Amino acid sequence: MTTKAAVQKLFINGEWMETGSFHKVYNKYDGELLAQVSTAGTREVDLAVSAAERVFKTTPFPPEQRYHVLMKVSKLLTERAQEIGECIAREGGKPITDAKAEVIRSANTFQLAAHEARFLSGSMIPSQASPGIGSRLMYTVKKPIGIVCAITPFNFPLNLVAHKVAPALAAGNPIIVKPASDTALTSLMLCEVLEQAGVPKGYVQCVVGSGSTVGEQLLRDPRIKLYTFTGSPEVGRHIQQTIGMRKVTLELGSNSATIVHEDADVQQAAAKLAKMAFAHAGQICISVQRIFVQKNVEAAFMNAFLEHVSRLQVGNPLDPATDVGPMISVKEAERIEAWVREAVDQGAEVAIGGKREGSLFYPTVITGARKGMKVVDEEVFAPVVSIAVYETIEEAIELVNDSKYGLQAGVYTKSLGLAHRLPYLLEVGGVIINDTCCFRADHMPYGGVKESGIGKEGPAYAMAEMLETVMVVVNLDE
Ligand code: NDP
């Protein structure tokens, strides 16, 4: 492990700033010190909000310019995919192939937002719809809401920042990003790209520092008009309670499920589920955590599934052959090791895995798990999946819904009727047919129900939140 590392500056009001206090960012696989990131104090956070307020009042950022700048961001991200991908692999522990894919997805997120910026408009309101209105022209206009604050998690350090920065800018708002401290380098690289692409000074700023200091100060600054948060339900709840009447979007956790019905293509389901239950070591909010298999196909599914899981390569995320890299910290790997041990003590069985080496936790499949165990009820956020058997589809629906969360659900079935009925019966924000719950396209409305959050992301949907709708009524009978 090295002790010296580059100092990474903060990005405030278009300037790169060193503060004298630092957060150390490590390689999550081998513990190497990657960089010391300057952290913001009270002064820097205040500077960032003041700069955002000033720029919003004084510097126009018209939609046509937003379009060109965001398209340029997309192009620059694509050009730097290898370099930024390596940064994500090092500081986030994500296998390099997935890390590069995240950069390409982020480039697409910026493009989607760029297109939305060009077509921003209000709508005509029919004046005949209510009686007694007389001769009036009625329409809405859309205007930027003001300063947006993004608080982001470690697991997609680029694309989940992109899903907040791109729509905020496309809507014409300045945005202040508070990234997860342990993966702050990627968001600072994004700032370099945004600066190079010509985002006006002060429209994007990045203040690194812990949630309990920088995060808290941002939550209490009344100049901020909207908070967009992705992270744990605990912090999400705290944000909502702290910010009072201001707007908020919360993308929180889940213990997502996928049903493998008796008429499913079991081989296809087994192969895809083995991949998506362990992608990014299960640290994805829509990761496959619970699998419900119909009794008649249980044996065939289990054989194929365990065979695929046994072939997953665990190791260094920079190795292109690696499927499952380290978890974000040894502490997190120890936490899931204890949860698995507890489930076994309560009667569950480990069909494969259960082993830990430092921050690496091996892909683990549990059978015989039931409600009341943490590995079922809580979000595992680790490479651990439990499998349970059901007889009727009604039973499977009940099992999926028996959760405090509701982000997405997957269903493998060949029945067209069942596929179209399930979205009305499952208590989730998205139903994915013939694929796992772990599917997201960046333009789709994405977000959960129950404790999985409030509001939707996807550039068009996030922008709807980040714009104020102003009603205009013109009395034509002067
Ligand atoms: P955390 O909630 O721990 O942290 C998320 C962010 O919140 C970090 O930037 C953190 O800062 C900050 N934060 C912590 N405390 C406060 C506070 N008091 N005030 C303001 N900000 C604060 O989540 P993780 O980073 O551990 O991410 C994992 C979680 O994110 C999982 O629950 C997962 O399900 C969820 N998630 C949800 C997604 C979705 O779209 N629904 C997608 C991806 C992840 P710092 O860490 O620097 O202290």
Side-chain angles (χ1 to χ4, degrees), residues 152 155 178 181 211 216 230-232 251-253 285 379 381 446:
T152 56
N155 62 337
K178 200 228 74 67
S181 309
E216 288 293 337
T230 301
S232 62
E251 297 292 344
L252 311 176
C285 47
E379 177 182 40
F381 223 55
Y446 178 78

Side-chain angles (χ1 to χ4, degrees), residues 23 150-156 160 164 178-183 208-220 229-236 238-239 242 250-254 283-286 328 332 379 381 405 407 440 446-448 452-453 457:
H23 178 82
I151 302 180
T152 56
F154 73 83
N155 62 337
F156 282 82
L160 289 180
K164 297 174 183 337
K178 200 228 74 67
S181 309
D182 288 338
T183 52
V208 180
S210 78
S212 57
T213 56
V214 171
E216 288 293 337
Q217 188 179 341
L218 288 166
L219 296 184
R220 286 177 167 77
F229 172 76
T230 301
S232 62
E234 298 71 37
V235 177
H238 172 70
I239 290 175
T242 311
L250 301 174
E251 297 292 344
L252 311 176
S254 195
Q283 300 166 118
I284 303 177
C285 47
I286 41 175
I328 193 68
E332 275 295 286
E379 177 182 40
F381 223 55
Y405 298 114
L407 197 44
R440 179 176 186 182
Y446 178 78
S452 289
E457 284 200 331

Side-chain angles (χ1 to χ4, degrees), residues 318-463:
L318 286 172
D319 181 347
T322 295
D323 299 301
V324 182
M327 292 184 63
I328 193 68
S329 64
V330 175
K331 195 168 153 233
E332 275 295 286
E334 286 171 348
R335 179 211 23 108
I336 194 59
E337 186 180 35
W339 285 20
V340 170
R341 204 180 308 123
E342 187 182 282
V344 171
D345 289 345
Q346 293 171 343
E349 283 178 30
V350 172
I352 192 168
K355 189 173 98 177
R356 183 180 69 80
E357 281 165 13
S359 57
L360 287 174
F361 197 75
Y362 280 69
T364 299
V365 179
I366 297 180
T367 56
R370 55 182 159 68
K371 202 168 161 57
M373 296 180 180
K374 286 202 191 82
V375 292
V376 172
D377 295 351
E378 304 300 326
E379 177 182 40
V380 294
F381 223 55
V384 173
V385 65
S386 69
I387 301 184
V389 178
Y390 68 89
E391 287 194 29
T392 66
I393 193 68
E394 289 74 22
E395 213 183 302
I397 293 166
E398 215 167 289
L399 284 164
V400 172
N401 291 345
D402 192 9
S403 166
K404 58 185 170 187
Y405 298 114
L407 197 44
Q408 292 198 155
V411 185
Y412 281 91
T413 178
K414 291 215 176 82
S415 163
L416 205 55
L418 178 60
H420 287 291
R421 275 200 312 279
L422 283 170
Y424 296 95
L425 302 171
L426 294 170
E427 297 165 1
V428 288
V431 175
I432 316 295
I433 304 294
N434 286 321
D435 208 331
T436 78
C437 50
C438 196
F439 172 86
R440 179 176 186 182
D442 288 296
H443 61 285
M444 74 187 212
Y446 178 78
V449 300
K450 301 200 254 184
E451 290 190 30
S452 289
I454 299 172
K456 299 279 185 193
E457 284 200 331
Y461 305 91
M463 282 171 73

Side-chain angles (χ1 to χ4, degrees), residues 146-213:
I147 305 173
V148 172
C149 172
I151 302 180
T152 56
F154 73 83
N155 62 337
F156 282 82
L158 187 66
N159 201 29
L160 289 180
V161 180
H163 266 288
K164 297 174 183 337
V165 171
L169 293 178
N173 297 303
I175 180 163
I176 299 170
V177 179
K178 200 228 74 67
S181 309
D182 288 338
T183 52
L185 298 176
T186 305
S187 45
L188 290 164
M189 270 185 160
L190 175 63
C191 288
E192 280 172 27
V193 167
L194 290 158
E195 183 184 28
Q196 200 186 340
V199 172
K201 189 173 158 166
Y203 263 93
V204 173
Q205 306 179 72
C206 185
V207 286
V208 180
S210 78
S212 57
T213 56

Side-chain angles (χ1 to χ4, degrees), residues 86-154:
E86 283 177 15
C87 178
I88 295 172
R90 286 197 176 89
E91 72 168 354
K94 183 173 287 182
I96 185 67
T97 313
D98 298 339
K100 279 198 282 187
E102 181 177 343
V103 184
I104 299 305
R105 276 183 64 185
S106 307
N108 181 48
T109 303
F110 274 95
Q111 258 191 48
L112 291 166
H115 292 299
E116 293 296 333
R118 288 225 285 203
F119 294 101
L120 263 185
S121 69
S123 53
M124 294 304 296
I125 307 297
S127 54
Q128 311 83 344
S130 298
I133 286 182
S135 184
R136 282 173 168 79
L137 175 66
M138 300 169 73
Y139 64 94
T140 61
V141 293
K142 299 281 182 184
K143 63 178 190 187
I145 190 168
I147 305 173
V148 172
C149 172
I151 302 180
T152 56
F154 73 83

Side-chain angles (χ1 to χ4, degrees), residues 65-81:
Q65 187 188 353
R66 294 175 213 162
Y67 168 77
H68 288 295
V69 166
L70 295 173
M71 289 300 281
K72 183 134 189 233
V73 173
S74 175
K75 182 169 174 283
L76 293 171
L77 283 174
T78 309
E79 285 168 12
R80 292 179 66 179

